[in-house]
Amino acid sequence: MTHKLLILPGDGIGPEVVDAAIQVLNSLERVTGTTYEKEFALLGGAAFEDSGNPLPEETLKLARSADAAIFGAVGGPQWDTLDRELRPESGLLRLRSELDLFCNLRPATLFPALSDASSLKSDVVSGLDVMIIRELTGGIYFGRPRGIDTRNDGVKVGYNTLVYDENEIKRIAIAAFDIAKKRGFKLCSVDKANVLEVSELWREVVSEVGSEHPEVALDHMYVDNAAMQLVRQPKQFDVIVTGNMFGDILSDLGAMLTGSIGMLPSASLNSKSFGLYEPVHGSAPDIAGQNVANPLAMILSVEMMLRYSLGEKTAADLVKVAVDKVLSAGYRTVDISQQQSLCLGTREMTEQVCVNIENLI
Ligand code: IPM
Ligand code: MG
C-alpha cells in the first residue's frame, strides 16, 4: 500500500516539527510495510522568499493530487509589513479555501501524564477530551467587503464582514453531528446569537440539522460564556462546533487546558476526506532552529492523518500509544516540563517516539 503525501514545512519551527513527522512516517514504514511517498513544496514566508507568492501554483497543484498534506506552520515578523495578500498567513488561508477544507478538527485531549502541566488545577482538567470543530473556509476571515478606507470626512475606517450562508452552516453542522455520534453524543454549538444576525441563522440551521439527529444532545452557547465555561468546567463539553473566528480563539484556549499548545494537533478536511494536518501552534520564530520545539502536536497530527484521510487505523493507534508511553516514561520537552534541566530537544523527543513505535510491533 502506498500513500501520496505532500509535505509543507513552512516557516519558523515548521521545518523542525515536520522533520519529526517524517521520522515517524519512516518508522511506520519500517514496521508496517506501508509506503508513504513524500513530495515537498513551499508555503508561507518560505514560498514568498522563493517566488514572491505565499501559495505558489505548484504547491496547489501538488496538494490537489496528494492523498493528504502535512504542514508545519507559517509566519514571522519579517513578513508582517508586506501587503496582506503577500503575507504567509494569506497563503495558508488561500490553501484552505482553494481545497475547500471547511471542517477543522482541533481535539483538546489531556494525556494522563500531563495533568500537572496545565495552568488549571489537575482535577478540573484530568481526563479532558473535547473536540473543537471550527468552520474554516467562511465567516469573517473570508467575508467581503473587507478593507481599510478613508471616509469622506478624512477618517480612516477598517472593516470586515462576518457572513455565512445556510449551506456553509449546514455542512459543518452535519460534520459535527457525525463526529458527536462517534464520541459522547453531545454537541455544543457556539455563537453570538444575542447580538449577531449571522449567529441567529447559524443557530436556526444547526437546530434544523439537529432535529435529524435526536440521539445527539444539542446545546447552544454564546461564545463569551463558552470561553468562561471552558476554563471553569471544561469537562462538561464533548464536541463543540463553531464559526471560523470563534473557533480560532476557543481552540487556542482549549489547547492551553491540556498543558501546552505544543501538544495539540489538527485536521482540516474537505468533503472528499482529503486533509491538511498541522499542529495548532504557530511558527514560534523566537525558538526556531534551536531544537527546543515540542514535536508532539505535529506527531499527533500525523496520527489524525492516518485515521481521517488514509484509513490506517492500526498505524494511528501505534503512534498514539507510542506518544503515551514516551510521556508516561517521563520524557518532556521544555514547554511541558517542570524541571527545565532534564528536557529533551525536538529531535531527541521524536527519537523516543520512533523507538517506541518500532518496539511496539
Ligand atoms: C490557526 C492560525 C491561523 C488562523 C493563522 C496563522 C492564519 O491562527 O490556524 O489557528 O487564524 O486560522
Ligand atoms: Mg489560531
Side-chain angles (χ1 to χ4, degrees), residues 151-166:
R151 235 169 27 201
N152 291 341
D153 61 1
V155 175
K156 279 193 187 171
V157 187
Y159 52 93
N160 290 88
T161 305
L162 175 41
V163 56
Y164 273 114
D165 72 35
E166 56 182 333

Side-chain angles (χ1 to χ4, degrees), residues 106 134 248 252:
R106 298 190 161 188
R134 167 187 177 193
D248 189 15
D252 267 30

Side-chain angles (χ1 to χ4, degrees), residues 31-354:
V31 294
T32 63
T34 301
T35 306
Y36 298 96
E37 220 177 270
K38 305 168 199 83
E39 245 342 321
F40 288 76
L42 297 170
L43 177 68
F48 173 80
E49 294 303 329
D50 184 66
S51 65
N53 181 353
L55 176 60
E57 262 324 297
E58 174 69 5
T59 299
L60 202 49
K61 201 175 114 219
L62 289 170
R64 289 193 205 282
S65 67
D67 298 324
I70 286 178
F71 159 58
V74 288
Q78 65 270 50
W79 301 296
D80 282 350
T81 48
L82 290 173
D83 285 348
R84 183 159 299 278
E85 68 276 15
L86 297 177
R87 287 186 208 167
E89 292 80 0
S90 300
L92 173 59
L93 289 169
R94 257 195 62 217
L95 182 67
R96 289 172 177 167
S97 174
E98 293 278 351
L99 300 174
D100 208 17
L101 306 174
F102 69 95
C103 181
N104 184 213
L105 308 181
R106 298 190 161 188
T109 316
L110 188 86
F111 281 83
L114 292 185
S115 61
D116 288 330
S118 174
S119 51
L120 297 189
K121 294 193 194 89
S122 70
D123 62 307
V124 175
V125 292
S126 72
L128 184 75
D129 179 10
V130 180
M131 177 65 88
I132 299 179
I133 303 177
R134 167 187 177 193
E135 198 292 326
L136 200 61
T137 50
I140 196 164
Y141 290 9
F142 291 93
R144 293 193 179 266
R146 61 188 295 163
I148 303 176
D149 293 342
T150 305
R151 235 169 27 201
N152 291 341
D153 61 1
V155 175
K156 279 193 187 171
V157 187
Y159 52 93
N160 290 88
T161 305
L162 175 41
V163 56
Y164 273 114
D165 72 35
E166 56 182 333
N167 297 329
E168 290 174 292
I169 304 170
K170 194 167 173 186
R171 68 175 181 173
I172 193 72
I174 291 172
F177 279 99
D178 277 352
I179 287 166
K181 283 200 229 170
K182 293 187 186 125
R183 295 175 45 104
F185 291 83
K186 250 177 83 179
L187 177 64
C188 179
S189 170
V190 171
D191 61 39
K192 188 68 186 170
N194 52 345
V195 177
L196 304 174
E197 284 80 0
V198 59
S199 283
E200 214 177 295
L201 180 67
W202 178 280
R203 207 172 256 228
E204 191 185 308
V205 174
V206 172
S207 299
E208 267 168 33
V209 175
S211 65
E212 288 157 30
H213 302 274
E215 64 279 38
V216 176
L218 171 66
D219 242 342
H220 299 275
M221 202 179 271
Y222 299 138
V223 62
D224 44 355
N225 185 26
M228 180 181 77
Q229 296 298 338
L230 269 169
V231 177
R232 193 179 76 91
Q233 211 186 81
K235 283 187 270 181
Q236 71 185 280
F237 296 104
D238 175 18
V239 180
I240 291 175
V241 64
T242 189
N244 204 341
M245 180 165 63
F246 297 160
D248 189 15
I249 299 166
L250 293 182
S251 60
D252 267 30
L253 196 162
M256 243 1 251
L257 299 175
T258 70
S260 167
I261 198 165
M263 292 296 300
L264 273 255
S266 80
S268 306
L269 307 169
N270 65 19
S271 54
K272 299 184 195 86
S273 77
F274 171 89
L276 176 72
Y277 294 85
E278 54 175 303
V280 170
H281 63 68
S283 57
D286 53 322
I287 57 163
Q290 296 172 28
N291 191 40
V292 295
N294 186 344
L296 294 181
M298 182 78 254
I299 291 172
L300 292 167
S301 302
V302 170
E303 184 221 327
M304 291 188 88
M305 173 183 79
L306 295 164
R307 229 178 265 292
Y308 289 97
S309 285
L310 306 184
E312 295 284 356
K313 183 178 178 308
T314 312
D317 290 344
L318 272 176
V319 174
K320 182 85 184 233
V321 173
V323 169
D324 225 345
K325 288 203 164 198
V326 167
L327 292 171
S328 302
Y331 294 111
R332 300 285 184 271
T333 44
V334 67
D335 55 312
I336 49 173
S337 170
Q338 268 86 21
Q339 286 166 287
Q340 312 248 327
S341 55
L342 297 177
C343 290
L344 296 190
T346 313
R347 285 191 292 274
E348 294 71 28
M349 191 69 164
T350 304
E351 207 177 297
Q352 286 304 322
V353 176
C354 291

